[in-house]
Amino acid sequence: MEFKHILKIGLFILFYSNSALAALQLNATRYIVNEGDKSIEIKIENIADKTYAAQIWIENEDEKDKKVNFIPMPNFFKFNKGETQIVRILNTQKSPSIKNESLYWLNLQEIPPVDKSKKSRITLALKTRVKLIYRPKTLLDKRANAEKLLTIFKSNESIKITNPTPFYLAVVSVKLNGKEVKLNNDMKQQLGVFPPKSSVFIKNNDVTSISKFEFDAINDYGTVSHFQGKLGY
């Protein structure tokens, strides 16, 4: 059922949100599906003081690819304030084992109640989007501290950070020679969704040489850890 067909009454303003404004709260900021898992369980809590409906669906990293290997059950539900809804994400992956992780997006759309007694109304309908990562069985025991393998290279006016690992990493800040690097929104986006076997370029004219490469990154559990990366030559 498409969201646009669900909303019949009132003016709704849609927002992406991972903030405290959301009425519905996921129990994690990212989810991992290991190869061989038939399903995983996620929990959604209604922390508002009203009854809410919700729709949940999963998209590929490539939005043009409409074939998704995961099915949320149920994908549409309604629950009262303080209640928790359990959703199972069914894994329908049938492809042979792959070498790198794959990234999907789990979307949670809030559908707030409408006060029909008010003729003019604006309702905020927040949408939360979090990572859903598929991890091949060959990588299950190799994820710990994979961030340490990130390697930095200095090239003319740019700095190149390379992720040689088969994992999706999430870097949130970078320090060079003990000084924090200013990252624009595009750089933050690229580092925050850092694909396997890829590189991110950072324009920086101030650094002539690199003696120390440090960064903060988010792990599987949604917590931030500090790492020291490798220097490339």
Side-chain angles (χ1 to χ4, degrees):
M1 183 183 298
E2 292 294 330
F3 181 64
K4 63 183 179 181
H5 297 312
I6 296 172
L7 304 182
K8 301 291 186 181
I9 303 173
L11 173 61
F12 288 80
I13 300 178
L14 306 182
F15 288 97
Y16 282 95
S17 174
N18 287 313
S19 70
L21 294 175
L24 307 184
Q25 192 172 77
L26 290 161
N27 66 326
T29 59
R30 64 210 60 231
Y31 296 95
I32 310 296
V33 179
N34 295 321
E35 182 179 355
D37 289 345
K38 293 182 179 180
S39 66
I40 64 168
E41 180 182 284
I42 70 172
K43 295 180 180 179
I44 305 165
E45 183 181 2
N46 181 359
I47 59 174
D49 59 357
K50 301 176 182 178
T51 297
Y52 266 74
Q55 186 178 19
I56 186 168
W57 70 98
I58 296 168
E59 298 173 322
N60 287 307
E61 168 67 359
D62 180 2
E63 295 182 355
K64 295 179 181 179
D65 184 359
K66 301 302 180 182
K67 184 179 179 182
V68 180
N69 295 311
F70 301 98
I71 303 172
M73 295 291 290
N75 65 348
F76 181 79
F77 46 88
K78 184 168 71 173
F79 54 155
N80 299 321
K81 64 177 182 179
E83 290 184 342
T84 297
Q85 173 70 46
I86 295 176
V87 176
R88 300 201 72 81
I89 307 298
L90 306 182
N91 178 14
T92 63
Q93 187 88 249
K94 294 182 179 179
S95 59
S97 183
I98 53 179
K99 295 181 179 180
N100 300 325
E101 286 186 335
S102 301
L103 176 65
Y104 300 82
W105 292 101
L106 185 149
N107 300 275
L108 174 64
Q109 178 68 66
E110 298 182 359
I111 305 174
V114 175
D115 187 349
K116 297 181 180 180
S117 66
K118 296 180 180 180
K119 294 182 179 180
S120 178
R121 55 193 175 273
I122 296 177
T123 303
L124 301 182
L126 300 183
K127 177 181 175 182
T128 300
R129 196 177 193 226
V130 300
K131 296 174 183 176
L132 177 71
I133 295 174
Y134 177 75
R135 182 167 295 161
K137 60 184 178 182
T138 55
L139 304 179
L140 297 186
D141 59 349
K142 300 176 182 178
R143 176 61 182 87
N145 296 320
E147 288 85 355
K148 290 182 178 180
L149 296 176
L150 285 185
T151 306
I152 196 163
F153 300 86
K154 180 73 173 72
S155 175
N156 298 324
E157 296 182 353
S158 295
I159 294 167
K160 181 175 74 170
I161 301 176
T162 297
N163 174 11
T165 79
F167 302 101
Y168 270 90
L169 303 180
V171 175
V172 294
S173 64
V174 175
K175 279 186 178 182
L176 298 180
N177 305 332
K179 183 179 179 180
E180 186 159 353
V181 176
K182 292 183 179 180
L183 303 171
N184 60 34
N185 289 335
D186 183 55
M187 295 173 191
K188 290 178 181 178
Q189 175 64 27
Q190 292 183 59
L191 289 169
V193 187
F194 204 160
K197 311 294 175 63
S198 68
S199 298
V200 173
F201 290 87
I202 299 174
K203 291 184 178 180
N204 193 308
N205 297 319
D206 299 332
V207 178
T208 56
S209 62
I210 302 172
S211 59
K212 192 174 184 180
F213 168 39
E214 302 169 88
F215 58 93
D216 290 334
I218 302 174
N219 61 25
D220 280 355
Y221 307 100
T223 58
V224 177
S225 299
H226 188 73
F227 297 93
Q228 183 166 328
K230 292 186 172 185
L231 303 180
Y233 300 99

